[in-house]
Amino acid sequence: MSIPEFEMTLGDLFEQILGDYIDGHLKINNEKMTPQQATEYFANEAKELGYPNEQIADCAEELMMTLQDTIIPKEQDFFKTL
């Protein structure tokens, strides 16, 4: 059984999406994506690359938690400045 080759590893895709999200590059209609939207975008990209659904689901869950962990401190900092 051979191991399929992918254009990009899921780890690389994860890091790319996370970085783009943090930098504010992931947008829909000129508004920053929510963590849920960014996770759905990740899942769609991973599917296009040919990764199995179970593997995508595991990484998507981790990405969602990571995105939520990054947005909460930013919101707290914002409200402290008001």
Side-chain angles (χ1 to χ4, degrees):
M1 178 178 202
S2 65
I3 299 172
E5 291 187 30
F6 298 103
E7 292 177 33
M8 176 184 282
T9 68
L10 270 182
D12 289 343
L13 181 60
F14 181 102
E15 292 297 325
Q16 177 185 328
I17 300 292
L18 179 60
D20 287 348
Y21 181 84
I22 290 170
D23 292 340
H25 297 299
L26 295 181
K27 296 182 178 184
I28 296 177
N29 297 326
N30 273 344
E31 295 207 15
K32 187 175 179 180
M33 286 184 183
T34 65
Q36 178 67 37
Q37 291 169 324
T39 302
E40 290 170 7
Y41 176 72
F42 167 82
N44 290 336
E45 291 293 308
K47 284 177 188 174
E48 285 185 27
L49 290 171
Y51 284 96
N53 288 338
E54 185 176 307
Q55 200 173 4
I56 293 169
D58 291 342
C59 288
E61 182 179 353
E62 180 68 29
L63 179 62
M64 175 64 91
M65 290 186 297
T66 304
L67 292 173
Q68 289 174 335
D69 288 346
T70 62
I71 198 168
I72 291 170
K74 286 184 178 185
E75 288 176 348
Q76 289 172 345
D77 290 344
F78 171 76
F79 289 119
K80 285 179 186 176
T81 62
L82 293 178

